Amino acid sequence: MSEAARQFVADHEAEQVDDLFELLSQPSISATGEGVADCVDLVQDLCLQYGFDDVVRVETPGQPAVIARAEADAAAVDEATADGGAPTTFVYGHYDVQPADPDEWTTPPFEPTVREGPDGRERIHARGAGDNKGQWFAHLCAVRALRETTGLPTNVTLLLEGEEESGSPNLDGVVREYADVLGDADLAYVADGPIDESGRPHVLMGARGMQYVQVDVTGPNRDLHSGNYGGPVPNPAWELVRIVASLKDETGRVAIDGFYDDVRPIEQQDREALAAMPFDEAAIKADLGIDRFAEGPGESYLEKLLYYPTCNICGFTSGYGGEGSKTVLPSTATLKMDMRLVADQDPEAIYEAFEDHVHRHATGVCDVEVTKMGQMHPQRTPLDHPIREPVMQAVAAAWPTEPILKPTLGGSLPTAVFERELGLPCVTVPYANEDENNHSPDENLALDCFRSGVRTSVELFDRA
């Protein structure tokens, strides 16, 4: 980063934080629509104030998206690339936030407050501070710092959606409709999520996908007395237990036909990246209060987490769960399940295989219904892609510790659409602290992480 841009960022931090506070004070809950319209107006205004040339509001069947463009300053474009035009970085974020119950917060969720955390670091506490307003706002600060000093040497295209917290149901449509604008880039870049638990930043070359399903099993038309009816009348809970038990074998391997067929093989460069990642097995077990890890494909904890898909029970509901006893034969049973998917797996194919498996293992004594609740495709940019090094260098120059290269995020982000529809390599670099409490009460963003995030975006735009 040029010294002038670095100094500008430092000199204008108070102003940046004030503007971020205004953004965080505005509710924008996609699940209910609360405050979304006003937030979109504010987002458009902030983009223009911070140096973007034009901003477009994109209507969708749900909440609107925002696309902003900042054209490179001609005087700042490197002579070596001037003939071919300035490079372009496409950045993605989301302005919508999770709902928040004020009674569970130390201070009101939409009244941003700076206070010290348990480690003594100053943190902005507000809904959306880390997820995701504070992170994409860092890009605005970077554009302005370069505009006001050495000039912006790259084009920056910003896409902010308003439904990430609701599963991004309309993101694919927006990306397809504006592919000519969004796809004219060299990189899709995302700042979302927390840094590594070690406190070091990490560069994530992908994200796992997800298929979320629900299975509803229905037996008698009402709950029954287990003594008067138990035995001859089918119990939906037992039917569902049998189905669930069939989903994995005794080694922990998912038993759905074809489940692993498209899993991308682990290459040598992937194993080298795994070996270089910090991992404290004893600390994780102690933190979680467990003695051992689960069985399943993969030779190590990180290999299981990052390179293999899962079949996870999120919830199993049936019968009586209150205090004491109630001798009941339940009339219904419900399973909620997510399957985290890895590179090259197709969520639609996995859903079809899951649905087929469930119906093949049902006995027929109860009605069984499978419902697709939501899905995201997995995405992974190869570790040897040329975009890796400039991103790693930008992060290394902006943070006090060296970044960790990771092949993928264990969780899911809607990044696959940028690879699938635009053909862009996609890299995620979280700017929030490891304990940001995203989706939880007292969500926060450490100010030192925000500063490092702004510097990272400046470095990235300056060398893209």
Side-chain angles (χ1 to χ4, degrees):
M1 185 196 310
S2 72
E3 184 55 39
R6 181 184 293 273
Q7 192 60 48
F8 184 92
V9 170
D11 290 345
H12 291 79
E13 179 177 310
E15 180 183 348
Q16 294 163 5
V17 171
D18 284 346
D19 288 338
L20 177 56
F21 270 34
E22 182 181 7
L23 181 62
L24 296 173
S25 297
Q26 176 58 56
S28 49
I29 303 171
S30 57
T32 63
E34 180 187 350
V36 167
D38 289 337
C39 188
V40 171
D41 291 340
L42 177 58
V43 167
Q44 292 179 278
D45 289 343
L46 286 171
C47 286
L48 294 174
Q49 290 174 27
Y50 274 73
F52 283 78
D53 297 296
D54 59 80
V55 187
V56 176
R57 175 190 176 117
V58 180
E59 298 296 341
T60 77
Q63 310 299 354
V66 174
I67 297 176
R69 288 271 295 174
E71 301 292 336
D73 297 316
V77 177
D78 190 293
E79 291 183 4
T81 60
D83 292 342
T88 300
T89 301
F90 163 51
V91 290
Y92 160 85
H94 62 93
Y95 67 80
D96 68 314
V97 300
Q98 285 277 330
D101 182 352
D103 293 338
E104 298 177 348
W105 287 62
T106 303
T107 52
F110 296 106
E111 295 180 15
T113 305
V114 174
R115 62 178 186 272
E116 285 190 359
D119 54 3
R121 299 156 72 191
E122 288 192 320
R123 301 162 184 250
I124 301 172
H125 288 79
R127 175 60 87 218
D131 188 15
N132 175 248
K133 292 176 178 178
Q135 300 206 49
W136 62 255
F137 183 72
H139 304 319
L140 273 61
C141 298
V143 168
R144 184 181 180 189
L146 288 166
R147 283 273 203 229
E148 297 289 340
T149 56
T150 57
L152 183 64
T154 181
N155 304 311
V156 178
T157 302
L158 171 68
L159 168 63
L160 299 175
E161 72 156 317
E163 298 178 301
E164 195 273 347
E165 301 293 6
S166 297
S168 301
N170 294 294
L171 180 62
D172 285 26
V174 172
V175 172
R176 281 194 295 269
E177 182 180 356
Y178 288 85
D180 57 334
V181 175
L182 304 176
D184 183 21
D186 306 283
L187 165 70
Y189 183 78
V190 180
D192 198 357
I195 60 175
D196 187 73
E197 290 184 359
S198 65
R200 291 169 59 187
H202 47 195
V203 174
L204 307 165
M205 302 295 282
R208 289 202 289 187
M210 181 178 66
Q211 180 63 66
Y212 201 103
V213 296
Q214 179 170 314
V215 180
D216 291 291
V217 181
T218 305
N221 59 10
R222 63 188 185 278
D223 288 354
L224 301 172
H225 188 290
S226 65
N228 294 340
Y229 292 93
V233 175
N235 185 321
W238 273 118
E239 179 75 352
L240 188 53
V241 165
R242 291 190 189 96
I243 293 171
V244 171
S246 73
L247 290 170
K248 282 190 176 184
D249 65 20
E250 64 277 4
T251 70
R253 189 176 177 86
V254 177
I256 299 171
D257 288 347
F259 191 76
Y260 298 100
D261 286 358
D262 297 324
V263 172
R264 187 181 299 180
I266 303 175
E267 305 290 347
Q268 180 57 34
Q269 61 185 359
D270 297 292
R271 297 197 182 280
E272 293 171 358
L274 283 171
M277 290 169 57
F279 175 68
D280 189 333
E281 178 177 326
I284 290 180
K285 288 179 177 177
D287 178 54
L288 300 179
I290 58 177
D291 296 323
R292 56 186 296 183
F293 296 128
E295 296 295 324
E299 298 177 4
S300 67
Y301 178 97
L302 292 175
E303 197 173 300
K304 293 175 190 292
L305 180 68
L306 303 179
Y307 283 90
Y308 284 94
T310 68
C311 190
N312 175 62
I313 298 172
C314 301
F316 190 117
T317 307
S318 185
Y320 180 70
E323 293 186 13
S325 61
K326 182 179 181 182
T327 54
V328 62
L329 190 159
S331 60
T332 63
T334 298
L335 169 74
K336 290 182 182 290
M337 173 170 282
D338 70 59
M339 289 166 276
R340 297 287 174 168
L341 309 179
V342 296
D344 298 338
Q345 287 187 295
D346 178 5
E348 193 62 37
I350 293 296
Y351 173 76
E352 291 176 1
F354 175 84
E355 183 180 36
D356 180 67
H357 180 98
V358 168
H359 287 304
R360 280 193 294 110
H361 285 80
T363 65
V365 298
C366 294
D367 292 330
V368 178
E369 182 180 1
V370 182
T371 305
K372 183 194 306 178
M373 303 295 287
Q375 65 182 32
M376 285 187 185
H377 284 75
Q379 171 265 322
R380 193 189 305 163
T381 299
L383 290 178
D384 58 0
H385 195 285
I387 204 64
R388 176 186 115 178
E389 279 314 303
V391 175
M392 289 288 287
Q393 291 168 8
V395 178
W399 292 75
T401 53
E402 286 294 311
I404 304 166
L405 176 67
K406 295 185 178 181
T408 187
L409 174 70
S412 302
L413 288 171
T415 51
V417 65
F418 309 134
E419 178 183 76
R420 190 173 66 251
E421 299 290 343
L422 307 177
L424 296 178
C426 186
V427 180
T428 298
V429 179
Y431 291 173
N433 36 296
E434 65 276 17
D435 53 353
E436 63 170 318
N437 285 348
N438 50 330
H439 293 202
S440 300
D442 288 350
E443 178 182 344
N444 65 90
L445 176 64
L447 279 170
D448 60 336
C449 285
F450 175 67
R451 296 183 191 109
S452 293
V454 174
R455 291 195 294 265
T456 302
S457 294
V458 172
E459 290 283 353
L460 183 69
F461 299 159
D462 208 19
R463 68 180 71 212

